[in-house]
Amino acid sequence: MIVGGNETVLVQGITGKQGTFWAERMRDYGTRIVGGVNPKKAGSEHIGLPVWGSAKEAAASQPIDVSVLFIPPMAVKAAVLDAVEAGVGTVVVLTEHIPSHDVMHFLAAAREAGTCVIGPNTAGLVTPGQSFVGFMPAFNERIFRPGRVGVISRSGSLGTLIALNLVQGGHGISAFIGIGGDPILGTTTRDALVRLDQDPNTDAVVIVGEIGGAMEEEAADYAHGMSKPMAAFIAGAASPPGKKMGHAGAIVMGDKGTYGAKREALEAAGVRVVPSPSMIADALGEAMGAV
């Protein structure tokens, strides 16, 4: 789930407006975009790249490491299954509002095949100075300056704000992993934390969480055994119980998934939790100094 500059990347839905725009931005930044998929335009070229009828056809021409989907909700299931059957190692699902039963179906197929799914409803992945996959402003060095801090976020916009504050505070980013804001995800906060803990280019980790679900609490269980310093911001401190807030996954039921429960779990694991994104750089600096 950390994409450097060597992986081959396929864009499913490359001929659409968003697929075209972001394929060009990713390629300009250094991402190895090898082509795209549109069943109605197979055999043609688009922005100087080949267009195949399916991911399986693309994989028959050359190995595909990563596929990113600019696909409408009702067509995502078939597109992910196509990528999984093509043997793609990582599938990045940007789309939101996908039917839940479709998500469960393609996540089960991906798990059985050993394919890593990022999302749905993710803004993507960034490895500053090397590549990005999705629709993040990786090309803005005020936000994504290369460095040694890994960032995990359920929100693209909040993750961007945290990265900006880290850079302004003198830190740099080793990798940004946007896991997505839906209640059913292919990659959890804990999954991403394990990956960053294993990453030799990451010295510290920041978690950007939200109310709802139990992903931050599960990540806190893993954080207990980590030596890398950590800081976190959890959005939704003032939200009322039982009300859905923004992301589909940000809903609190009873005492499950509350801001207080997440903060308590993270702080018990030694993570410095801040009440405002503007405080994240100083908190992380203190945590790094304390190690």
Side-chain angles (χ1 to χ4, degrees), residues 1-3 7-8 10 12 64-69 79-94 103 106-120 122 124-125 133 176-180 184-196 198:
M1 65 187 76
I2 297 175
V3 180
E7 292 88 346
T8 54
L10 181 71
Q12 292 177 259
I64 305 295
D65 298 312
V66 180
S67 184
V68 57
L69 276 63
V80 174
L81 293 177
D82 178 27
V84 169
E85 292 169 5
V88 175
T90 299
V91 180
V92 180
V93 183
L94 308 172
V103 176
F106 69 65
L107 288 183
R111 189 176 301 112
E112 185 173 347
T115 301
C116 173
V117 175
I118 308 294
T122 174
L125 309 168
V133 178
F176 174 91
I177 302 175
I179 62 169
I184 306 172
L185 295 171
T187 296
T188 67
T189 304
R190 178 179 175 131
D191 295 335
L193 184 59
V194 172
R195 181 66 184 87
L196 289 175
Q198 297 169 343

Side-chain angles (χ1 to χ4, degrees), residues 164-176:
L164 173 66
N165 279 301
L166 287 170
V167 170
Q168 288 181 338
H171 300 284
I173 311 299
S174 59
F176 174 91

Side-chain angles (χ1 to χ4, degrees), residues 177-279:
I177 302 175
I179 62 169
D182 275 10
I184 306 172
L185 295 171
T187 296
T188 67
T189 304
R190 178 179 175 131
D191 295 335
L193 184 59
V194 172
R195 181 66 184 87
L196 289 175
D197 189 28
Q198 297 169 343
D199 179 29
N201 298 315
T202 296
D203 292 337
V205 179
V206 169
I207 292 176
V208 186
E210 296 179 351
I211 59 169
M215 286 197 297
E216 289 79 6
E217 291 90 329
E218 292 166 0
D221 289 339
Y222 181 82
H224 273 286
M226 285 180 60
S227 59
K228 293 182 180 181
M230 294 180 60
F233 169 74
I234 307 297
S239 62
K243 186 174 180 60
K244 186 181 291 185
M245 304 292 290
H247 285 155
I251 183 170
V252 175
M253 300 299 293
D255 61 351
K256 303 294 185 183
T258 64
Y259 175 84
K262 293 177 185 298
R263 178 164 190 158
E264 181 179 354
L266 288 166
E267 289 183 334
V271 180
R272 300 189 181 221
V273 182
V274 297
S276 167
S278 64
M279 302 170 69

Side-chain angles (χ1 to χ4, degrees), residues 64-151:
I64 305 295
D65 298 312
V66 180
S67 184
V68 57
L69 276 63
F70 291 87
I71 300 289
M74 300 307 292
V76 167
K77 174 184 168 183
V80 174
L81 293 177
D82 178 27
V84 169
E85 292 169 5
V88 175
T90 299
V91 180
V92 180
V93 183
L94 308 172
T95 313
E96 60 179 337
H97 303 309
I98 305 169
S100 296
H101 58 275
D102 284 3
V103 176
M104 291 187 285
H105 185 123
F106 69 65
L107 288 183
R111 189 176 301 112
E112 185 173 347
T115 301
C116 173
V117 175
I118 308 294
N121 194 13
T122 174
L125 309 168
V126 182
T127 305
Q130 298 183 43
S131 71
F132 81 97
V133 178
F135 49 81
M136 293 294 289
F139 36 79
N140 189 332
E141 291 189 354
R142 294 179 302 169
I143 302 172
F144 285 107
R145 186 171 67 200
R148 306 288 299 181
V149 179
V151 178

